[in-house]
Amino acid sequence: MQCIRRQPKRTVSQENMLLEQSRRVAALNGIRLGLKDDKDLKFLLKGSQLLKVKSSSWRKERFYKLQEDCKTIWQESKKVLRSPESQIFSIEDIRDVRSGHKTEGMEKYAKDVPEYRCFSIIFKDQRKNLDLIASSEDDANHWIAGLGKIIAHSNSMNQKQKLQHWIHTCLRKADKNKDNKMSLKELKDFLKEVNIEVDDYHAKKIFQHCDKSKTEALEDDEIEEFYKILTERKEIDSIFQMYSDPEGFMSCQNLVRFLYEVQQEEDAVVAAPALIQKYEPNERAKRGNAMTKDGFLMYLLSDEGNIFNPSHRKVYQDMTQPLSHYFVSSSHNTYLMEDQITGPSSTEAYIRALTKGCRCVELDCWDGPNSEPVIYHGYTLTSKILFSDVIKAIKNYAFKTSPYPVIISLENHCSVEQQKVMAQHMTTILQDMLLVAPVDGNRSQFPSPEQLKGKILVKGKKLSRQEDPSNGNNNLEAEDVSDEDEAAEIEDESVKTKVEQKGKSDTLKLAKELSDTVVYCKSVHFEGFDDPNHPRAFYEMSSFSESKALKLAQESGTSFIHHNIRHLSRIYPAGWRTDSSNYSPVDLWNVGCQIVALNFQTAGTEMDVYQGLFQDNGFSGYVLKPEFLRDEQTKFNPKSITEGTWGTKKKLLLKIISGQQLPKVNKSKNSIVDPKVTIEIHGVQQDNNKKQTKVIENNGFNPNWNEEFTFDIEIPALALVRFVVEDFDMSTKNDFIGQYTLPFTSLKQGYRHIHLLTKNGDPYSSSTLFVYINIQDCD
């Protein structure tokens, strides 16, 4: 039997010394965050008892404390054999901190506690919310304000500060005996912590170079020297040297030349002095209107050095065109957190979709108990939520990310009585937000997103005598309308059985009150494209399953484009996607379909591409279609591209130079990633392409590829570029590390950093790719 070696017990003076050291480290990290002597930060570092709430019968006291790195929270756990890592969560994983009863859990299980003592931590990934009750209002305020400040200040740190903070945290972690020195063994452990494998010879060489005092341990200035060697960017130094003088200064004139010639910045003369003032840390250089190597690196890591055009981070497109001229960020079965058959429904899913820029959400409505309609995926075992709770969530979060209109897509299975309740909830909860009459008497075409700012539109069935949105109300109480039952299309045996038992009818009785809430988005069955002599009303719109829509795109591309100039089209996933998988939205965007609804809860290539398009135009949820998809005379067909006014063909020259601080995929101490980069083009069929770099073994910290690629782009206005980094594995599927997707038209040229995103689309704090981009017109 193996004996477990006990750690020698520390003396009181050792304990006090470690405590003082810990306080100093925490104070230093507080200063790095710009929160020196902040009372909320001090409270969090001390920690406090909080009641953790899980259900009506589970409410237990636990101790929570901000760790000295000011980046992680430690939580007490009573579970046996729980690993130390599972008791910690990172501030970076927090999406939001909500005060009061602002989650479903708090609403259900903490109504007996005053709101001022309650708060919830919402995580970025699929993790459950953490609902907490403080012992006093002061304690709750300290936690809410403190976490808010740390998140805000962490987000405002520049890349160099983030890197410095991260490396010092890893150094502290590697310093096992907490003596503020680093032995050779601790140095090797540290390198593994930051995702780099260095053989013993090289590790010893770095160590000896830094160990100027020859004490067999690095401390203070020696650790700083090690930090400099580690974070050296030779590939950027060589670019800097081409434009700098022998003393290591890049003059403003040379910076102008670099910006204009290499970065293709048209306003280089104005931009150069501003960049020096903004990013140059050396006061002497700043006074001389010049840039040092450090300032140059800071610029390349900043928003101005980003691959995504910073001017596209705000709304820059014409927002005064008819609604049908825009792609609209849209979610399918928004209420679901997981799969389509047994997963939970939640108002949190609506909040997540809306804060991700979604502008069209789906409500699947059924009769509920106590005359209150519920939302769930009909015929399945998904859980149910109240219609009224969803409408409240939409009201509270509709316009936090974007001011442009939100469309509520109703799939109505309710009785007339509960339909009246639905209408009443929408009018009383949404009040002025709900659009109930045409804008400025607009009767011939859709109003624009600009005209509809701050408004919520309802998409649903409308009584036949009320079809013209300009008509006044009439006295019709209810009448039969055609039923659209997407839930009945699910390819699942238990669902099919329930549909048969129900004896599905093709019609549904519609209440006038609910009909009145529909103004511009009247749901109708698709009967074929318009007869030019008898055009359909512009406000009539159809929903298509992905297979039906793809068939129309394949067989009648140009007709579909013409249809989508005047009408809205909504596309939803096929019935066999019971796992909530997604389809590619690109082929449907290529024929002008606006409301291409995806399962927002499911990460993957399709969702990456989706969010890649919608980060354009200020993340507003509305992206203007290219001119050739809005032109009444267009002959464009993505399946058969002929000469036309579709824009100049482009040649994309791309060099993948290096990577920085790629995250560890496998948390095992000895596991180091073997990264490779794949570049994908998503667009019309001729443009779809994929190329990849070689694999770099055992280096996720600073891998160097230096590989060049060329892509021909036929239709730049419809192309998106996706960069994917994976951990290569010869025997199994590669592990995803990070990705970034953007429209081809948002690419910046020259030397650029790509700030990688997680599987769920959230930014990593300091994981980047460094690339060179050049775009040329094709002959």
Side-chain angles (χ1 to χ4, degrees):
M1 181 177 162
Q2 192 180 358
C3 292
I4 298 169
R5 249 179 81 191
R6 279 196 163 176
Q7 292 291 324
K9 199 175 176 193
R10 294 190 185 110
T11 64
V12 173
S13 63
Q14 283 175 324
E15 285 290 351
N16 288 339
M17 194 176 79
L18 285 172
L19 197 63
E20 184 51 39
Q21 215 175 83
S22 176
R23 283 195 194 113
R24 276 206 310 273
V25 170
L28 185 64
N29 285 323
I31 291 165
R32 283 199 184 110
L33 278 169
L35 292 172
K36 186 184 177 186
D37 296 330
D38 183 86
K39 65 179 189 332
D40 295 318
L41 183 71
K42 283 181 176 175
F43 179 87
L44 267 58
L45 285 163
K46 195 175 165 189
S48 76
Q49 294 285 354
L50 296 167
L51 277 176
K52 184 176 179 179
V53 181
K54 278 190 175 180
S55 69
S56 52
S57 58
W58 201 105
R59 191 186 283 186
K60 295 185 181 174
E61 199 169 70
R62 296 285 183 262
F63 187 75
Y64 288 83
K65 178 188 181 301
L66 177 68
Q67 303 220 125
E68 63 189 32
D69 61 5
C70 296
K71 284 177 68 174
T72 48
I73 303 274
W74 181 83
Q75 53 185 338
E76 178 190 10
S77 174
K78 301 284 164 109
K79 283 184 185 170
V80 182
L81 299 176
R82 185 165 180 178
S83 69
E85 288 79 25
S86 66
Q87 286 183 254
I88 290 168
F89 62 85
S90 171
I91 298 276
E92 282 173 16
D93 295 336
I94 299 174
R95 184 181 300 285
D96 193 12
V97 182
R98 294 187 203 147
S99 59
H101 304 143
K102 300 277 174 55
T103 62
E104 280 178 302
M106 281 301 202
E107 193 74 36
K108 280 183 194 169
Y109 312 127
K111 274 295 196 184
D112 59 314
V113 181
E115 283 211 63
Y116 56 74
R117 282 176 50 205
C118 301
F119 67 99
S120 301
I121 293 173
I122 318 300
F123 293 100
K124 287 177 179 174
D125 50 26
Q126 302 298 328
R127 214 180 320 181
K128 287 179 179 167
N129 299 337
L130 183 56
D131 292 324
L132 300 163
I133 299 170
S135 57
S136 69
E137 183 177 3
D138 275 356
D139 282 13
N141 288 339
H142 279 308
W143 277 102
I144 295 160
L147 289 172
K149 285 178 198 173
I150 297 168
I151 293 164
H153 284 255
S154 298
N155 290 342
S156 64
M157 284 169 101
N158 63 45
Q159 286 299 120
K160 196 169 180 184
Q161 288 169 324
K162 284 179 184 174
L163 173 62
Q164 197 175 21
H165 194 172
W166 177 66
I167 284 182
H168 280 282
T169 302
C170 293
L171 281 166
R172 182 93 179 132
K173 210 169 170 183
D175 182 13
K176 290 284 185 281
N177 61 0
K178 303 292 180 238
D179 62 356
N180 273 354
K181 296 176 185 177
M182 186 176 276
S183 66
L184 177 59
K185 183 184 182 308
E186 285 174 335
L187 179 132
K188 287 198 275 194
D189 285 347
F190 165 78
L191 290 170
K192 283 179 181 168
E193 185 68 38
V194 299
N195 212 356
I196 183 169
E197 181 77 73
V198 177
D199 61 43
D200 286 355
Y201 172 76
H202 279 100
K204 198 165 184 183
K205 203 172 164 189
I206 296 169
F207 187 83
Q208 286 170 343
H209 172 82
C210 297
D211 185 19
K212 303 278 194 273
S213 59
K214 308 291 179 208
T215 56
E216 296 295 314
L218 306 185
E219 48 190 312
D220 301 332
D221 292 347
E222 293 169 344
I223 290 176
E224 286 302 315
E225 175 69 15
F226 170 63
Y227 167 80
K228 278 180 186 163
I229 290 170
L230 197 65
T231 56
E232 204 172 17
R233 295 284 302 272
K234 287 180 180 170
E235 72 277 35
I236 288 178
D237 292 350
S238 61
I239 302 164
F240 180 79
Q241 281 163 13
M242 290 164 65
Y243 292 86
S244 61
D245 62 27
E247 286 183 28
F249 292 103
M250 185 190 284
S251 68
C252 187
Q253 194 177 353
N254 278 354
L255 179 58
V256 169
R257 198 157 59 85
F258 171 77
L259 293 173
Y260 189 73
E261 293 172 3
V262 181
Q263 305 294 79
Q264 307 285 307
E265 300 284 9
E266 289 174 12
D267 63 345
V269 176
V270 177
L275 290 174
I276 290 168
Q277 290 308 308
K278 193 171 179 182
Y279 297 113
E280 180 49 58
N282 183 311
E283 286 302 323
R284 183 185 149 211
K286 205 186 271 190
R287 282 195 301 274
N289 206 15
M291 199 173 245
T292 62
K293 190 167 69 176
D294 282 347
F296 188 63
L297 173 61
M298 299 266 280
Y299 149 64
L300 285 174
L301 282 166
S302 75
D303 214 31
E304 286 91 344
N306 200 311
I307 191 170
F308 183 79
N309 189 334
S311 68
H312 292 190
R313 288 199 198 286
K314 56 181 188 292
V315 174
Y316 68 96
Q317 295 176 342
D318 177 6
M319 300 302 280
T320 63
Q321 301 213 17
L323 204 61
S324 53
H325 287 195
Y326 299 83
F327 298 126
V328 184
S329 179
S330 307
S331 154
H332 170 247
N333 287 356
T334 314
Y335 46 90
L336 293 179
M337 298 287 278
E338 294 168 15
D339 66 75
Q340 306 282 310
I341 305 293
T342 59
S345 305
S346 171
T347 54
E348 199 59 50
Y350 286 91
I351 295 168
R352 286 183 182 183
L354 290 166
T355 50
K356 280 186 173 181
C358 178
R359 299 288 85 193
C360 179
V361 294
E362 188 176 0
L363 281 67
D364 213 336
C365 311
W366 298 79
D367 278 357
N370 308 317
S371 300
E372 282 294 339
V374 292
I375 290 173
Y376 82 112
H377 205 189
Y379 316 111
T380 71
L381 300 174
T382 57
S383 63
K384 298 169 184 177
I385 48 177
L386 286 175
F387 177 83
S388 59
D389 286 347
V390 170
I391 298 300
K392 283 173 196 165
I394 292 171
K395 180 193 176 175
N396 292 333
Y397 288 88
F399 304 111
K400 288 210 173 202
T401 301
S402 164
Y404 292 102
V406 166
I407 300 169
I408 290 177
S409 180
L410 289 183
E411 190 173 315
N412 169 27
H413 305 277
C414 292
S415 62
V416 169
E417 286 313 307
Q418 292 211 13
Q419 288 176 38
K420 290 177 182 177
V421 176
M422 285 165 62
Q424 187 185 0
H425 282 320
M426 286 195 285
T427 50
T428 54
I429 294 167
L430 300 176
Q431 297 178 343
D432 290 349
M433 285 183 181
L434 185 67
L435 188 82
V436 290
V439 176
D440 300 336
N442 201 334
R443 297 169 193 180
S444 57
Q445 64 173 20
F446 282 108
S448 69
E450 190 62 38
Q451 289 173 297
L452 293 167
K453 259 185 176 175
K455 289 294 179 188
I456 294 172
L457 285 67
V458 176
K459 171 202 163 291
K461 292 290 177 182
K462 196 158 181 67
L463 296 175
S464 57
R465 293 181 214 179
Q466 294 182 304
E467 282 192 10
D468 185 342
S470 63
N471 274 355
N473 289 349
N474 56 44
N475 296 320
L476 193 68
E477 282 306 312
E479 102 179 3
D480 285 344
V481 292
S482 60
D483 186 19
E484 291 182 13
D485 192 354
E486 288 169 25
E489 297 175 27
I490 294 179
E491 292 182 22
D492 178 83
E493 286 310 311
S494 63
V495 170
K496 284 178 181 172
T497 306
K498 285 179 185 173
V499 171
E500 283 165 18
Q501 285 169 353
K502 183 196 169 199
K504 188 172 156 16
S505 164
D506 288 334
T507 61
L508 168 88
K509 207 164 266 304
L510 179 66
K512 174 183 174 294
E513 289 84 347
L514 192 58
S515 174
D516 285 344
T517 64
V518 177
V519 178
Y520 283 119
C521 302
K522 181 196 173 197
S523 299
V524 297
H525 277 303
F526 181 70
E527 306 288 355
F529 295 119
D530 271 0
D531 172 352
N533 300 318
H534 301 94
R536 271 170 37 191
F538 73 91
Y539 52 83
E540 291 187 350
M541 65 175 288
S542 301
S543 290
F544 307 85
S545 71
E546 66 177 92
S547 44
K548 174 79 185 286
L550 287 168
K551 190 169 186 286
L552 287 171
Q554 182 70 41
E555 295 172 2
S556 319
T558 308
S559 299
F560 211 171
I561 288 168
H562 278 275
H563 174 83
N564 288 327
I565 292 170
R566 195 158 173 269
H567 299 277
L568 289 171
S569 289
R570 176 178 163 271
I571 320 300
Y572 58 91
W576 57 266
R577 294 186 183 275
T578 53
D579 59 349
S580 294
S581 61
N582 280 313
Y583 56 98
S584 169
V586 178
D587 287 337
L588 299 156
W589 287 334
N590 290 347
V591 289
C593 295
Q594 305 88 346
I595 300 176
V596 181
L598 294 198
N599 291 304
F600 267 52
Q601 73 273 31
T602 307
T605 305
E606 298 81 12
M607 203 61 212
D608 293 343
V609 169
Y610 204 82
Q611 291 297 73
L613 175 78
F614 285 109
Q615 70 171 315
D616 194 9
N617 201 32
F619 199 53
S620 63
Y622 284 85
V623 171
L624 186 64
K625 295 196 269 189
E627 204 277 331
F628 55 82
L629 293 182
R630 296 178 274 123
D631 176 13
E632 300 275 3
Q633 309 305 316
T634 191
K635 292 185 171 59
F636 179 73
N637 184 346
K639 298 295 178 190
S640 168
I641 292 168
T642 54
E643 289 302 313
T645 55
W646 331 130
T648 311
K649 294 178 194 172
K650 302 285 181 184
K651 188 178 284 294
L652 172 62
L653 305 167
L654 203 154
K655 186 177 186 181
I656 304 289
I657 301 170
S658 60
Q660 294 76 39
Q661 292 87 60
L662 303 178
K664 289 181 95 156
V665 177
N666 184 335
K667 296 299 176 191
S668 151
K669 190 173 92 170
N670 294 314
S671 171
I672 310 292
V673 300
D674 304 324
K676 68 163 195 167
V677 182
T678 304
I679 307 105
E680 303 168 355
I681 307 293
H682 297 260
V684 295
Q685 212 163 338
Q686 291 98 309
D687 291 343
N688 291 340
N689 205 340
K690 184 189 285 194
K691 294 180 182 181
Q692 57 193 39
T693 66
K694 61 180 180 284
V695 176
I696 302 288
E697 292 188 1
N698 287 330
N699 188 351
F701 184 74
N702 54 5
N704 265 275
W705 290 279
N706 280 312
E707 290 186 62
E708 293 183 1
F709 304 93
T710 305
F711 296 90
D712 290 325
I713 311 290
E714 187 89 18
I715 310 291
L718 292 175
L720 293 112
V721 187
R722 181 172 183 252
F723 299 85
V724 195
V725 188
E726 292 176 308
D727 180 12
F728 177 74
D729 195 313
M730 201 174 283
S731 55
T732 60
K733 189 171 178 272
N734 296 338
D735 286 320
F736 173 91
I737 293 176
Q739 71 85 32
Y740 187 77
T741 308
L742 74 166
F744 180 86
T745 51
S746 293
L747 279 172
K748 290 291 280 181
Q749 297 190 64
Y751 290 100
R752 302 286 169 180
H753 277 98
I754 297 169
H755 295 260
L756 294 172
L757 304 177
T758 66
K759 189 173 70 173
N760 292 308
D762 297 304
Y764 283 115
S765 65
S766 50
S767 300
T768 51
L769 292 178
F770 186 52
V771 300
Y772 174 76
I773 307 275
N774 184 251
I775 298 167
Q776 299 170 359
D777 291 348
C778 285
D779 300 331

